[in-house]
Amino acid sequence: MRRFLIAFLQLMVVAAFIRWSVYVFAVDTSAGGFFTENSLGIAFGISFFALIFALSFLGSLYPTNLAKYWKDGKVGVGEVQTYEHRGLKNGVRNYRIAMQVEGEDGAVFDGILSVPVGKRRLPALHQGQILPVVYRAKKPKQLYVPHGPLKERAQLFYDFYCLRTGRVDQLTLNAGYYGLPGRAVIAQEMSDGLVFPGKERLHLDLSVFTPDGHQFPSTATVLVDAYQKDVLHQARYLEVKYLPEALEKVAVRIPKAPKVG
């Protein structure tokens, strides 16, 4: 509310500048002719400041980071229940995703996430997929992609949720946060089958290569959907992180999907 009040006051200032410009121009031209040097200079100067105020007005209406205005922002993890295509937005398909959300305070509720999904990410959208989300306490059913000050908090809660539900183990999580970068190739793969909706657990035996030329055997456990599994198999190598004091397990970064179209 305060933001719109400030915007309204700025608009009033712009209107006052324009009205004063018209008045000065009229007085000056009546005294010295149709266009005088003085009247043009004054009109240009006032128009310039009016433009600055107008841009400030628009910026206050459309802030670049809405999250910094949230005093009741919360984070959670949403599980996709259903989704539907709702047309194009800036050339990208926009989807309305119905989710069941677990908030950081333990509350469980249903919410809606409206978000553009590009061709590269579209195959990964499926029922049962979990995503970090943010929302306002007074409007919990309207979900947003984590952004601004809430982004890091949302990722931390997402990792905690995955750890608690058995989607990741502590050693893998530690390697992901604190590990050193390396590359790996898959030597062997074993599957536990579908352990979560749409997700298969794979156990990978890896040969890991460090930036300084060393090599060591290790393992990794990853959860992938059918599309991610296919991308994993197509990759020439995997980006990993490892802890020098715990080389038996590494964190694997699932490769990005190739561009489509």
Side-chain angles (χ1 to χ4, degrees):
M1 184 64 184
R2 185 176 63 180
R3 189 170 78 249
F4 285 97
L5 179 60
I6 293 174
F8 176 77
L9 292 176
Q10 289 175 331
L11 185 60
M12 292 299 99
V13 172
V14 171
F17 266 119
I18 294 175
R19 185 170 181 178
W20 184 42
S21 176
V22 172
Y23 172 77
V24 170
F25 186 84
V27 171
D28 192 68
T29 52
S30 64
F34 190 68
F35 287 106
T36 69
E37 182 178 351
N38 188 43
S39 65
L40 287 175
I42 293 175
F44 176 81
I46 293 176
S47 298
F48 175 79
F49 283 106
L51 176 62
I52 297 299
F53 272 95
L55 292 175
S56 177
F57 165 71
L58 292 175
S60 63
L61 282 180
Y62 302 100
T64 56
N65 185 3
L66 291 174
K68 70 180 181 181
Y69 294 98
W70 292 3
K71 295 184 178 179
D72 60 343
K74 292 183 175 294
V75 304
V77 173
E79 181 177 328
V80 176
Q81 304 297 307
T82 61
Y83 57 91
E84 58 178 320
H85 179 222
R86 300 300 293 269
L88 296 177
K89 183 177 182 180
N90 298 325
V92 181
R93 289 174 175 264
N94 200 57
Y95 280 82
R96 182 180 186 272
I97 305 174
M99 312 186 88
Q100 184 179 73
V101 180
E102 179 179 323
E104 60 185 339
D105 57 359
V108 178
F109 56 91
D110 295 329
I112 298 296
L113 175 67
S114 295
V115 63
V117 181
K119 290 182 179 180
R120 179 180 292 190
R121 297 182 180 273
L122 185 57
L125 179 60
H126 57 81
Q127 186 178 18
Q129 181 184 14
I130 61 170
L131 299 168
V133 295
V134 298
Y135 57 93
R136 303 186 69 177
K138 62 182 180 182
K139 291 184 178 180
K141 292 186 179 296
Q142 179 61 58
L143 308 175
Y144 300 87
V145 174
H147 58 291
L150 296 176
K151 188 173 183 178
E152 183 177 354
R153 201 168 102 206
Q155 185 62 48
L156 287 173
F157 182 72
Y158 176 82
D159 291 337
F160 165 76
Y161 179 90
C162 290
L163 183 63
R164 196 193 74 212
T165 56
R167 287 174 165 85
V168 68
D169 59 82
Q170 188 67 61
L171 187 56
T172 299
L173 198 59
N174 290 345
Y177 271 99
Y178 311 114
L180 302 175
R183 292 185 175 184
V185 293
I186 300 174
Q188 188 175 357
E189 173 189 309
M190 294 172 288
S191 173
D192 288 342
L194 294 177
V195 292
F196 294 100
K199 291 287 188 177
E200 181 180 358
R201 180 184 283 130
L202 300 179
H203 300 281
L204 307 176
D205 290 337
L206 304 170
S207 293
V208 180
F209 302 87
T210 65
D212 58 4
H214 289 83
Q215 178 183 351
F216 61 89
S218 189
T219 62
T221 302
V222 294
L223 280 177
V224 293
D225 56 39
Y227 186 73
Q228 289 174 317
K229 184 178 180 180
D230 187 50
V231 172
L232 195 71
H233 289 162
Q234 293 179 30
R236 296 178 58 187
Y237 62 85
L238 305 176
E239 293 182 10
V240 300
K241 284 191 173 182
Y242 66 93
L243 294 170
E245 67 274 17
L247 298 178
E248 67 272 17
K249 201 156 197 178
V250 299
V252 171
R253 180 177 179 272
I254 303 297
K256 288 184 178 180
K259 290 185 178 180
V260 179

